[in-house]
Amino acid sequence: MWKRAKTLILIFSFFLNAGSPQAPSDWVIGVDADLSLGGASAGQAILLGVRLAADEINASGGLLGRKLRIEARDHGGIVLRGIENVKELGALSNMIGIVGGIHSNVILSELEVIHSKKIPYLIPWASADELVDNGRHPNFVFRLGGRDQYVGEFLVGEALKHGKRIGLLLESTVWGRSNLKALKKTLALRKIQPVAVEWIDRADSNVNVQISALQRKNPDVVIMALNAPEGALAVNTMTERGTPFRVLSHWGIAHENFFKLASASLKKMKVEFFQPFSFSTFQNNKKDALLKKLKEHLPQAENGKIDAASGIAHAYDLTLMLGAATSKSKSAERGKIRDALESLAEFKGVACSQRPPFTPQRHEAVDKGCFFLAQFSDDGKVIPSPLSPVP
């Protein structure tokens, strides 16, 4: 399977860079994500966001007199592959930064290499708090996305609108543990304990035991932090057992892979998920321009069907931030680019980010005021939930 996946990525990379000469002197931005397995649709969305931003940078003259090109690497959600990807990309003398994917456990395992090679590492999706709160000084990790602490606060607030009996269904990884910490802390502030905490392993094939345990506790709401394959398995098992819980989910399921696997169950139960961005929010010139570009690359975008839109927008903005920091530093030295990311006076992108996006004390750019709940329409579009209007 891995050989087939590598072949697919080589083919994709060929088309990605077709028509763009890859001179050794080009600056390189790496992409390190799942591009072929359970998180592939989200990974491909992130890669597309990087591509569109790189095209824009090159159309404006490039960076410091050179073009920017993309080197994409597929880790398939596997830690050791991620580490090798970062080592390989980090060895490129003309590489100015890496954009990561959706898997917190992979990035956590890469932190030692990231910092030993002084690589500005930009996260558009993976949300474990420890990725940014990593104890490194200087810290080379920056994020525009859903930090678990913030998402937990948001999901608990939404869950309490439906009752105080809250069950948790979490992935048994560093990401799941990060969510447990955030959710329990937020619930404790309201003097509430979860009625159940159930764990699902990555690549589990049967979760009847976990769903049965939730069923016995009869929660008003289940807060879920699972990625697409396991999330779909959990939701499908709920419907098969006749226990269509109301589910509020982290954004690990917010892409096409989940919808394909769980679409029949979604007609029988309410599954909503956290989102920090939508093309249906207030419009601005940059968002309109990005949407126009997307319609050129994704025919389905004409009908409003944009898979993993947040991943596209966040990766797009982070790539432009990296370009701005490189220009500001007037250098391709990674340490200087890192410093410049902390001192961008203002950045106006398409996603909801703070101004300035980063500071020496804060490497989280997302604006919490833009969070909302979404759901899948019958044809697979991500749409705002009726009772959770987009800000």
Side-chain angles (χ1 to χ4, degrees):
M1 180 180 288
W2 175 235
K3 289 183 178 179
R4 178 175 178 272
K6 288 188 76 174
T7 300
L8 289 171
I9 295 307
L10 287 172
I11 293 171
F12 188 86
S13 296
F14 172 80
F15 285 106
L16 177 72
N17 294 302
S20 300
Q22 297 184 7
S25 60
D26 288 349
W27 301 126
V28 171
I29 181 169
V31 174
D32 171 51
D34 178 2
L35 300 171
S36 62
L37 297 178
S41 61
Q44 297 288 4
I46 290 167
L47 181 53
L48 177 58
V50 175
R51 174 189 179 184
L52 293 175
D55 287 347
E56 184 174 316
I57 289 170
N58 288 335
S60 299
L63 297 173
L64 307 178
R66 300 186 190 181
K67 294 292 187 180
L68 178 64
R69 65 180 172 89
I70 301 165
E71 288 285 346
R73 298 290 184 274
D74 178 22
H75 60 54
I78 298 173
V79 164
L80 291 178
R81 290 178 189 159
I83 294 172
E84 290 304 310
N85 288 347
V86 174
K87 286 181 178 178
E88 182 181 337
L89 291 168
L92 300 174
S93 61
N94 54 341
M95 197 275 296
I96 59 173
I98 295 176
V99 177
I102 73 170
H103 291 101
S104 291
N105 62 318
V106 175
I107 299 175
L108 186 71
S109 72
E110 298 168 346
L111 288 177
E112 186 62 39
V113 179
I114 289 167
H115 288 86
S116 66
K117 293 186 176 294
K118 298 182 178 180
I119 302 169
Y121 197 100
L122 310 172
I123 302 176
W125 195 303
S127 59
D129 294 355
E130 297 92 327
L131 302 183
V132 174
D133 297 348
N134 55 50
R136 268 76 169 186
H137 301 285
N139 184 4
F140 278 79
V141 179
F142 299 80
R143 176 162 49 201
L144 172 58
R147 178 186 172 94
D148 287 337
Q149 174 192 342
Y150 302 160
V151 179
E153 293 166 354
F154 172 75
L155 289 177
V156 166
E158 293 295 324
L160 290 175
K161 295 176 182 178
H162 306 287
K164 294 184 178 181
R165 295 183 58 78
I166 297 174
L168 307 181
L169 188 58
L170 310 172
E171 182 180 271
S172 55
T173 61
V174 63
W175 179 50
R177 292 189 293 275
S178 175
N179 275 279
L180 178 64
K181 180 180 177 181
L183 291 164
K184 290 187 74 172
K185 179 179 179 181
T186 302
L187 287 167
L189 292 174
R190 294 162 171 81
K191 295 181 170 53
I192 299 172
Q193 292 292 323
V195 297
V197 179
E198 294 297 322
W199 299 91
I200 292 179
D201 292 334
R202 184 79 57 84
D204 256 350
S205 59
N206 188 314
V207 295
N208 276 287
V209 171
Q210 295 93 322
I211 303 307
S212 175
L214 284 174
Q215 187 176 3
R216 289 194 296 271
K217 296 298 183 178
N218 191 31
D220 298 313
V221 183
V222 173
I223 295 180
M224 188 169 80
L226 299 171
N227 282 309
E230 297 77 26
L233 177 64
V235 168
N236 290 339
T237 303
M238 290 175 191
T239 59
E240 290 166 6
R241 295 182 62 90
T243 54
F245 300 114
R246 174 180 282 273
V247 173
L248 298 182
S249 178
H250 209 310
W251 66 344
I253 66 169
H255 54 98
E256 186 178 46
N257 286 20
F258 173 81
F259 179 77
K260 287 181 176 179
L261 294 169
S263 57
S265 295
L266 296 179
K267 296 177 182 178
K268 302 174 183 177
M269 61 182 290
K270 188 76 167 180
V271 177
E272 298 170 292
F273 45 88
F274 154 80
Q275 285 284 268
F277 171 84
S278 171
F279 280 101
S280 63
T281 60
F282 64 90
Q283 300 299 293
N284 59 50
N285 291 338
K286 288 193 71 69
K287 187 181 291 187
D288 293 344
L290 178 58
L291 183 58
K292 182 178 180 180
K293 292 176 185 176
L294 280 174
K295 290 177 179 178
E296 296 172 0
H297 293 270
L298 302 172
Q300 64 270 32
E302 287 286 354
N303 299 317
K305 191 173 181 181
I306 302 173
D307 186 32
S310 294
I312 295 172
H314 291 170
Y316 173 83
D317 276 357
L318 285 168
T319 302
L320 293 181
M321 289 180 195
L322 182 65
T326 303
S327 296
K328 179 181 176 67
S329 67
K330 298 180 181 179
S331 168
E333 184 181 330
R334 296 170 190 170
K336 291 183 179 180
I337 294 172
R338 189 213 75 91
D339 294 346
L341 282 165
E342 288 186 339
S343 61
L344 292 176
E346 185 174 359
F347 176 82
K348 294 182 180 179
V350 299
C352 293
S353 60
Q354 301 183 66
R355 297 182 181 178
F358 305 114
T359 71
Q361 294 76 35
R362 173 178 54 76
H363 282 203
E364 303 277 6
V366 71
D367 181 350
K368 294 186 288 182
C370 294
F371 293 176
F372 66 98
L373 284 179
Q375 63 190 45
F376 283 105
S377 66
D378 289 343
D379 61 351
K381 296 175 187 174
V382 172
I383 57 175
S385 294
L387 298 181
S388 181
V390 178

